[in-house]
Amino acid sequence: MPDSPEPEIAPAVPAAREATSAAPPDPETAREWLQTMTLIRRFEERAGEMYARAKVGGFLHLAIGEEATIVGSARALRTNDYLISTYRSHGNALVRGTPPENVMAELFGRVDGCSGGRGGSMHMFDLERRFMGGYGIVGGNLPIAAGIALASDYLGEEDVTLCMFGDGASNQGTFGETLNLAALWRLPVVFMVTNNQFGMGTALQRHSAVTDLQRKGESLGVPGVRCDGMDVLDTHAVVADALARVREERRPVLVEAVTYRFRGHSMADPEEYRSKEEVAQWRERDPIPAFGALLEREGIINAQQRAAIDDRARAQVDAAVAFAEASPFPPPESLYDDVYVLGDQVQGWYSVRTSEPPDGAPPPEQAGTDEISRQITTALQADGDV
């Protein structure tokens, strides 16, 4: 067989635009965007520190470097629109208004976490603010987003769903299946691929035959556009236009946000697949100092106000850590809360009334909890850190 041609390799760092086509918003809004981006950065940095101190269990995926993509897209949403994210979701919860205290408590596995301490880093959720969660399965949020959009359409509401996923998820079967169905049924959803150049540790040109990700939905009936994900203004302008098109035309749109994560895929990532020089190049386009400098040039803030914004973010994160430390762990007897089973495999709550406990078994609310609670309590008491 003849050798396959090498895929075209995208430039390591796309050239920055000389001037964004979007003007800054009003001063109050501009300052809020910078404050939120800074909060996300400081929160993520502290989350990494807490993970290193074994305060956070499981996996931890940080979005340091992607703040412009997160804030620019979310600020284009209406309050009643829906946002659904990936496992890199701390910033998405914060930008939708979930208090930092509850996000940090979730990382710590405490009862005051936004998911009751049961979801951890990858499963943030805040229904009140229509943040429909982070999801641990790559591409697993895509069909859920279509379902949310279908519900909005069925109810005759104008709400639009913004579904964020990574470049690696664009190779999953759920990507093609969901975009096809969304186009066929004309569902009000904006699919946003956060192209941070790597699917875990695999570079874009090595995992996708099509590296121009905005075009991956064209054959499925979903037009695409691209934004500079390192520029909060450009991201906001492009996503706002996409949301308006979807709301008016009742058809999905794919947005590619070209961005970069400054940290590894997760805290366990040795980052052997990229050079320090490449990361340094991208850091020159850090979206937070770039936006802050722009606001200074426009006379919206001064250097002292920028420093105050950073001080405030650090104080918020300090308070969030203190809150999480003080929050208790879920009690052992709550082990089966919100767990639904069919049959008698597990003595817990039952998903339907017709699924009854075996004859002679204790009621569902008592089943199996005494011995399990005793064992868990004993184990917790044996751990000096608890």
Side-chain angles (χ1 to χ4, degrees), residues 263-343:
R263 297 286 186 92
H265 169 72
S266 72
M267 288 294 291
D269 183 1
E271 298 188 67
E272 296 179 352
Y273 50 85
R274 62 183 183 180
S275 67
K276 292 181 180 179
E277 291 74 19
E278 177 184 321
V279 178
Q281 277 186 294
W282 277 93
R283 280 188 177 275
E284 292 177 3
R285 297 198 58 214
D286 191 321
I288 297 176
F291 188 53
L294 172 65
L295 297 189
E296 277 200 57
R297 292 195 301 270
E298 295 289 330
I300 295 175
I301 60 173
N302 56 39
Q304 291 74 25
Q305 289 171 321
R306 284 181 69 180
I309 285 173
D310 190 56
D311 290 342
R312 177 186 174 189
R314 292 177 185 273
Q316 286 180 279
V317 174
D318 287 342
V321 171
F323 177 87
E325 291 273 24
S327 178
F329 286 100
E333 59 269 18
S334 71
L335 179 65
Y336 286 124
D337 289 358
D338 305 316
V339 174
Y340 298 88
V341 296
L342 286 170

Side-chain angles (χ1 to χ4, degrees), residues 73-354:
S73 59
R75 288 297 175 260
L77 294 169
R78 295 178 180 175
T79 303
N80 289 335
D81 287 335
Y82 293 94
L83 173 64
I84 188 168
S85 173
T86 69
Y87 43 75
R88 203 180 304 277
S89 62
H90 316 150
N92 300 114
L94 293 171
V95 79
R96 281 304 261 177
T98 306
E101 293 83 355
N102 301 117
V103 180
M104 189 67 76
E106 188 60 38
L107 291 179
F108 280 39
R110 307 301 177 96
V111 295
D112 293 308
C114 56
S115 296
R118 300 175 182 275
S121 172
M122 295 195 289
H123 299 97
M124 300 287 166
F125 188 83
D126 193 337
L127 179 61
E128 178 185 351
R129 296 171 176 86
R130 296 205 168 186
F131 174 52
M132 307 308 288
Y135 286 84
I137 298 175
V138 176
N141 60 334
L142 285 156
I144 297 174
I148 297 170
L150 176 61
S152 296
D153 191 62
Y154 184 81
L155 294 172
E157 299 172 343
E158 290 190 354
D159 309 331
V160 174
T161 297
L162 175 63
C163 176
M164 302 182 72
F165 55 98
D167 49 283
S170 69
N171 303 319
Q172 294 288 90
T174 51
F175 174 82
E177 294 167 354
T178 303
L179 266 66
N180 175 68
L181 198 63
L184 182 65
W185 289 353
R186 302 181 71 89
L187 299 181
V189 56
V190 172
F191 297 101
M192 186 172 191
V193 53
T194 303
N195 178 10
N196 62 20
Q197 314 303 311
F198 296 96
M200 295 186 69
T202 305
L204 174 64
Q205 65 269 16
R206 293 185 179 275
H207 73 65
S208 180
V210 177
T211 57
D212 189 1
L213 300 185
Q214 64 176 319
R215 302 189 62 185
K216 290 189 82 167
E218 289 179 354
S219 66
L220 302 167
V222 180
V225 292
R226 176 185 287 146
C227 69
D228 181 354
M230 305 299 280
D231 181 342
V232 68
L233 296 177
D234 191 58
T235 299
H236 179 268
V238 172
V239 175
D241 180 67
L243 289 164
R245 288 173 58 187
V246 169
R247 221 181 295 274
E248 180 180 348
E249 300 174 10
R250 312 306 290 180
R251 59 179 300 194
V253 170
L254 174 65
V255 176
E256 176 191 5
V258 180
T259 184
Y260 199 80
R261 52 173 168 77
F262 296 158
R263 297 286 186 92
H265 169 72
S266 72
M267 288 294 291
D269 183 1
E271 298 188 67
E272 296 179 352
Y273 50 85
R274 62 183 183 180
S275 67
K276 292 181 180 179
E277 291 74 19
E278 177 184 321
V279 178
Q281 277 186 294
W282 277 93
R283 280 188 177 275
E284 292 177 3
R285 297 198 58 214
D286 191 321
I288 297 176
F291 188 53
L294 172 65
L295 297 189
E296 277 200 57
R297 292 195 301 270
E298 295 289 330
I300 295 175
I301 60 173
N302 56 39
Q304 291 74 25
Q305 289 171 321
R306 284 181 69 180
I309 285 173
D310 190 56
D311 290 342
R312 177 186 174 189
R314 292 177 185 273
Q316 286 180 279
V317 174
D318 287 342
V321 171
F323 177 87
E325 291 273 24
S327 178
F329 286 100
E333 59 269 18
S334 71
L335 179 65
Y336 286 124
D337 289 358
D338 305 316
V339 174
Y340 298 88
V341 296
L342 286 170
D344 57 359
Q345 300 93 336
V346 179
Q347 297 297 310
W349 294 95
Y350 289 81
S351 60
V352 290
R353 289 289 183 182
T354 56

